[in-house]
Amino acid sequence: MKVRIGIDIGGTNTKFGLIGPDGTILKRHRIQTSSFDSFDSFIKEVVEQARKMLKSEDELIGIGIGAPNGNVHSGMIESAPNMPWRYKLPIRAKVQEAFDCPVALTNDANAAAMGEKIFGGAKEMNDFVVITLGTGVGSGIYINGELAYGHDGFAGEIGHVITYPGGRLCGCGRRGCIEAYVNAKGILRTLAEEKYQFPDSELAQIEEKEINVKVIGQYAEKGDSLALHIFEKTGEFLGLTLANSMAYTSPEAFFLFGGITKVGEILREPVHRHMEANMLNIYQNKAKVVFSELPEDDAAILGAAALV
């Protein structure tokens, strides 16, 4: 059987999928990206796990990789802020050495956007943006039915647009990037900064080490004032950024993707409301804010596999 392997490399986890001829994920696996002390040891494990997915009768026709700051042109991961290792990592060449098949690389958010276009809610759209919300904040941008790469392969870094000059320190080393406000750590920082305004909140009484975005979502569902305020602020931060992004991409929809979106409408509604409140009038009421229609573990894997 002809198969492809899709690999989604994230700052926290790396996910693998063995993809059949009809796009079905036949096997899945994951490893913890941050548990490796060097890039070489990480690549060795990636190659080993990819090989384990194959049966002797399988015909591997290609491997697609999505990674933070993955450059489709150079085949390198270049200075990814949320990866354990920095500088230029020749991942495509390293994987190519181990397998006798084509290997392709793209940005992880681009891979998620490709997955949404081919298998998800964007099948009938030519202009849309996928925003990935997790350890980092990325974006994959489709314009006129094609993925935007830019001349250097790095187009689509909405997470590193400086929305608040002089603001929070971002993992990229600059201040005020929207990623520092709406990624997982950013949401927890908002909690730490705002909780003293809500002395009657149950959430405010919990030790910070026991809190994550899922916990905040659970308290928001119960009507906790602090938890609802945190998602209102997060919606304000991200909504403003999407309103600005509308001016240079004008998509039909923004798809929110990633673990943070599991809190559902508690996040989506304030994002959409603040986006419309900050939108230039010629764009108002034209773009939807919706969740990805693909499971979190599938979109980037399928999109990466589609590269080959």
Side-chain angles (χ1 to χ4, degrees), residues 4 22 39 54-57 86 136 141 156 159 161 179 181 186 209 222 224 232 242 248 257 271 275 288 290 307:
R4 290 170 287 176
D22 62 351
F39 176 67
L54 298 167
K55 296 179 181 178
S56 58
E57 63 269 25
R86 297 293 183 94
I141 302 171
V161 170
E179 179 175 291
Y181 293 82
K209 64 181 180 181
K222 295 191 295 183
D224 184 273
E232 181 67 22
L242 297 190
Y248 49 84
F257 172 82
V271 170
M275 180 186 77
K288 298 179 286 187
V290 295
L307 288 169

Side-chain angles (χ1 to χ4, degrees), residues 33-287:
T33 310
S34 56
S35 66
F36 297 89
D37 57 6
S38 70
F39 176 67
D40 286 340
S41 62
F42 171 69
I43 286 296
K44 183 179 179 180
E45 185 67 14
V46 166
V47 169
E48 183 176 341
Q49 293 303 328
R51 282 185 173 143
K52 284 182 178 179
M53 304 193 89
L54 298 167
K55 296 179 181 178
S56 58
E57 63 269 25
D58 287 337
E59 180 185 349
L60 181 61
I61 61 173
I63 298 174
I65 305 169
N69 285 21
N71 191 315
V72 66
H73 300 319
S74 69
M76 295 188 179
I77 299 174
E78 302 188 23
S79 302
N82 297 301
M83 291 287 286
W85 324 281
R86 297 293 183 94
Y87 312 111
K88 294 184 177 182
L89 309 174
I91 188 165
R92 184 173 66 195
K94 291 287 187 180
V95 175
Q96 186 77 69
E97 289 174 5
F99 293 93
D100 184 23
C101 69
V103 177
L105 172 72
T106 192
N107 178 279
D108 53 345
N110 288 340
M114 291 181 70
E116 202 68 47
K117 174 65 174 171
I118 297 169
F119 303 104
K123 289 178 182 176
E124 305 301 322
M125 296 182 187
N126 288 322
D127 300 271
F128 67 94
V129 178
V130 171
I131 304 291
T132 59
L133 300 168
T135 307
V137 175
S139 58
I141 302 171
Y142 264 83
I143 298 175
N144 297 332
E146 296 186 359
L147 195 58
Y149 280 115
H151 80 283
D152 61 352
F154 282 130
E157 286 292 349
I158 289 176
H160 293 289
V161 170
I162 294 178
T163 307
Y164 299 97
R168 294 178 183 174
L169 181 65
C170 181
C172 72
R174 302 180 305 159
R175 289 190 174 274
C177 295
I178 192 61
E179 179 175 291
Y181 293 82
V182 301
N183 69 350
K185 288 183 178 179
I187 292 173
L188 294 179
R189 180 166 175 179
T190 301
L191 172 69
E193 292 174 351
E194 302 283 330
K195 69 178 184 179
Y196 301 104
Q197 301 178 39
F198 298 86
D200 296 330
S201 161
E202 290 185 31
L203 179 61
Q205 313 308 317
I206 301 176
E207 290 189 34
E208 290 182 13
K209 64 181 180 181
E210 298 179 2
I211 300 176
N212 55 33
V213 176
K214 181 180 178 180
V215 170
I216 300 173
Q218 290 170 344
Y219 275 85
E221 289 175 355
K222 295 191 295 183
D224 184 273
S225 58
L226 172 59
L228 290 171
H229 176 72
I230 296 307
F231 286 114
E232 181 67 22
K233 291 292 292 185
T234 302
E236 178 185 342
F237 297 143
L238 185 54
L240 173 60
T241 299
L242 297 190
N244 289 335
S245 301
M246 189 75 184
Y248 49 84
T249 58
S250 191
E252 182 177 345
F254 290 98
F255 286 86
L256 305 183
F257 172 82
I260 291 172
T261 66
K262 291 178 181 178
V263 299
E265 195 66 10
I266 293 169
L267 172 66
R268 193 208 68 82
E269 189 279 329
V271 170
H272 184 258
R273 176 162 37 84
H274 284 284
M275 180 186 77
E276 290 292 346
N278 288 283
M279 194 87 80
L280 184 65
N281 60 354
I282 60 172
Y283 299 118
Q284 285 180 337
N285 302 311
K286 289 184 177 179

